[in-house]
Amino acid sequence: MVVSTRVKGSAAQTSAAYFAAWKRGDLQGMAALVYQPPADFIARHRSFSEDLHVEDIQLLPGAVKGTGETAAEVPFTGSRILSEFGAWPFSSTLRLAVRDRTWKVLWAPETLDPLLKDGGTVRLTEFDGPAVQLVTSEGEKIPNDSYAESYLAELKPEFDEVGQGWALESALPGQQARRLKTVEPKVSLERTTLSRSVQAAAARALDGVRNASIVAIRPSTGEVLAVADRLEDNYSAFRDFFPPGSTFKTVTAAALLEAGLDPAAEVDCPGTYTIPNSRTVKNAGEQGHGSVTFADAFAYSCNTTFVREAVDRLSADSLVETAAKWGFNGAKLATGLGGHCGRMDPPDSVDELAADSFGQGSVEATPLCMAMVAAAVESGSLRVPRILSKAAVERIDGPPAKPVELDEGTVTALRDMMAAVVDHGTAAAAGLPAGVSGKTGTAEAGTGEAAREHGWFIGYRDDLAFSVFVRDGGSGRSAALPVAARFLNGL
């Protein structure tokens, strides 16, 4: 009997067949060419491709090299096309030997990929990118140290679109994984209404100023152009109420104008005034101006004039009704961040009506609200401010209230009166740029040793309205006006 010792095929033929089967994805054909393939040969190849999202593979075998009479190897290069990363090249070696008189592939994990040697692993991981990035209305980064950070942090959770990134990682047993490739997630940008230049000017105006805020609005649209908030004790310029002081005379003046008081009418502005059978009211420093026009009484911020005229001409209901038209006692504002305007109780007495008339008593307002009031004077319409697109605001806060058209004669008179404040009134010679109209306010808070003053200045210039509020900072002229001048001159 003769036993054949002839070897079937060659190393070149077996390697060529193996590479051809690999290229066409014939895992069964590959396994048939391997000497004693592992039980999970097919599953391992399939899961490697599926887990790494391999779309295609390219193989370029080198020349067959003999390593003995019955052994050979073929160095080769390849490139896997991954859906997340594109081409991912690799190089390895196909080893062959004669087994049972047939050339077979001696398969090992590193034949599939060199990173699998010695128990190595390769995996594709997904990771979350940064949350939505809020940007200015121009699509630019919001300035650093903008003092709007707390507002932006509150807005971000309203946008749940988080970009997904991909990482291709390899690791050896007991070692930390290393990243081979990374696709950074696409950052989702959401435009706010904030203006980069206005926000920057507001923030820099508050540098070094404690316990203060600036809110700026575009009167024609209600867009919030800036919110720089350095209020302490977790107070918010959008949500927290403070006595507005004489800035509320803008609303009282509107009520008096609609009650028939002409801006040119002569009125008295004594340093002190005693309401018949009631309290005595004083101007700041008990300064009197004698007989002046109503417009100048507004410009000089005469408490005595406003108390006397309000008591003589207004009822409790008429002042509350006028305040309601200007946003007081209304519902939560649909700004994208919520917020409120102002509030006041119906006066139960002459004393209460007197105090309310110059922004004390029960009258309270947010800095946002007083910016709304200034914007309404400029545009003639009271609009709910918004800090996001109309669609985003409606999704978050519901539909906003429609603009309230104000009496044309009233707002025309108020524009002249607010211009007089800056021209020769309490805001004169304060370094404000040309074209600004406004109203100062000093609000008393607390009593006795706890008594303090809040400083206000509200106003507008062209299509920009604003409120400056300095809590516990002193008078409107000494505390708020310098901040407003820095803000407006910085634009």
Side-chain angles (χ1 to χ4, degrees):
M1 179 177 180
V2 179
V3 179
S4 173
T5 59
R6 184 179 179 183
V7 176
K8 296 178 182 177
S10 65
Q13 290 173 334
T14 300
S15 63
Y18 188 85
F19 285 120
W22 195 353
K23 286 180 182 180
R24 65 177 181 267
D26 181 5
L27 299 179
Q28 293 280 2
M30 292 168 65
L33 295 169
V34 174
Y35 176 69
Q36 295 181 353
D40 63 350
F41 178 88
I42 292 176
R44 187 178 296 198
H45 278 73
R46 183 174 290 132
S47 64
F48 190 83
S49 293
E50 291 177 352
D51 292 348
L52 300 187
H53 300 176
V54 177
E55 295 180 336
D56 192 14
I57 188 168
Q58 299 169 358
L59 299 168
L60 183 62
V64 178
K65 298 178 181 179
T67 57
E69 290 185 5
T70 59
E73 63 182 25
V74 182
F76 68 95
T77 58
S79 180
R80 291 181 172 91
I81 309 302
L82 309 185
S83 60
E84 281 74 30
F85 299 98
W88 178 41
F90 68 103
S91 60
S92 189
T93 301
L94 186 71
R95 291 180 170 81
L96 304 102
V98 174
R99 295 290 186 268
D100 299 330
R101 298 189 301 278
T102 303
W103 281 96
K104 290 284 189 176
V105 172
L106 302 182
W107 189 88
E110 56 265 34
T111 310
L112 176 59
D113 192 279
L115 293 172
L116 302 179
K117 186 178 180 180
D118 299 327
T121 59
V122 182
R123 65 176 184 174
L124 188 65
T125 61
E126 191 175 12
F127 60 92
D128 289 342
V132 64
Q133 182 177 337
L134 298 169
V135 296
T136 66
S137 60
E138 303 92 345
E140 299 177 9
K141 183 178 181 293
I142 292 172
N144 294 329
D145 302 321
S146 66
Y147 305 132
E149 288 82 3
S150 63
Y151 294 80
L152 301 175
E154 187 176 344
L155 281 173
K156 282 186 178 181
E158 298 294 346
F159 301 92
D160 54 8
E161 294 182 7
V162 177
Q164 300 298 314
W166 293 92
L168 188 64
E169 298 178 339
S170 70
L172 289 171
Q175 296 184 16
Q176 187 174 1
R178 62 187 180 95
R179 286 190 173 180
L180 308 173
K181 282 178 169 288
T182 304
V183 173
E184 295 297 332
K186 184 178 180 181
V187 178
S188 177
L189 301 180
E190 183 70 28
R191 291 186 186 232
T192 66
T193 61
L194 299 178
S195 159
R196 179 174 174 79
S197 60
V198 180
Q199 183 65 47
R204 300 295 70 83
L206 287 187
D207 285 343
V209 181
R210 294 179 54 248
N211 221 358
S213 69
I214 297 175
V215 178
I217 295 173
R218 178 172 283 125
S220 60
T221 63
E223 294 167 295
V224 177
L225 301 177
V227 51
D229 190 340
R230 298 198 70 192
L231 293 173
E232 298 172 0
D233 303 321
N234 292 320
Y235 280 112
S236 163
F238 272 42
R239 295 189 180 93
D240 290 304
F241 298 95
F242 307 93
S246 291
T247 59
F248 186 74
K249 287 175 182 168
T250 308
V251 176
T252 305
L256 290 170
L257 290 167
E258 291 170 8
L261 183 57
D262 192 278
E266 292 291 321
V267 293
D268 289 329
C269 177
T272 63
Y273 172 69
T274 301
I275 304 169
N277 303 313
S278 190
R279 62 177 289 192
T280 297
V281 179
K282 301 176 182 180
N283 290 335
E286 298 188 21
Q287 183 178 11
H289 295 275
S291 181
V292 295
T293 64
F294 177 49
D296 280 347
F298 182 87
Y300 300 138
S301 203
C302 294
N303 293 342
T304 55
T305 303
F306 271 76
V307 167
R308 180 171 183 171
E309 297 300 328
V311 169
D312 287 349
R313 296 174 180 269
L314 301 179
S315 67
D317 289 343
S318 63
L319 185 57
V320 171
E321 289 169 2
T322 300
K325 284 193 292 187
W326 288 78
F328 285 70
N329 293 341
K332 174 184 172 183
L333 299 175
T335 67
L337 278 170
H340 301 279
C341 185
R343 61 191 181 192
M344 68 175 295
D345 299 328
D348 288 334
S349 66
V350 169
D351 278 356
E352 290 182 6
L353 176 60
D356 290 344
S357 70
F358 58 97
Q360 296 285 168
S362 70
V363 179
E364 292 183 309
T366 64
L368 174 68
C369 180
M370 297 317 296
M372 285 175 60
V373 169
V377 174
E378 195 283 334
S379 70
S381 300
L382 186 79
R383 289 182 173 84
V384 174
R386 59 180 174 87
I387 197 168
L388 296 169
S389 68
K390 291 179 180 179
V393 168
E394 186 161 348
R395 177 178 61 80
I396 295 168
D397 283 338
K402 293 182 179 179
V404 175
E405 298 301 318
L406 302 171
D407 180 77
E408 184 176 353
T410 298
V411 294
T412 298
L414 287 174
R415 289 173 194 144
D416 292 339
M417 294 163 75
M418 291 179 75
V421 171
V422 177
D423 180 67
H424 57 271
T426 55
L432 296 169
V436 177
S437 298
K439 181 71 187 79
T440 56
T442 303
E444 297 176 359
T447 57
E449 293 183 359
R452 58 200 190 280
E453 291 181 331
H454 303 322
W456 291 84
F457 184 61
I458 68 171
Y460 60 87
R461 183 189 189 201
D462 299 326
D463 200 16
L464 184 147
F466 60 88
S467 75
V468 176
F469 173 62
V470 184
R471 179 172 170 252
D472 301 342
S475 71
R477 182 171 178 87
S478 66
L481 259 178
V483 175
R486 285 199 299 274
F487 166 54
L488 295 168
N489 285 312
L491 293 173

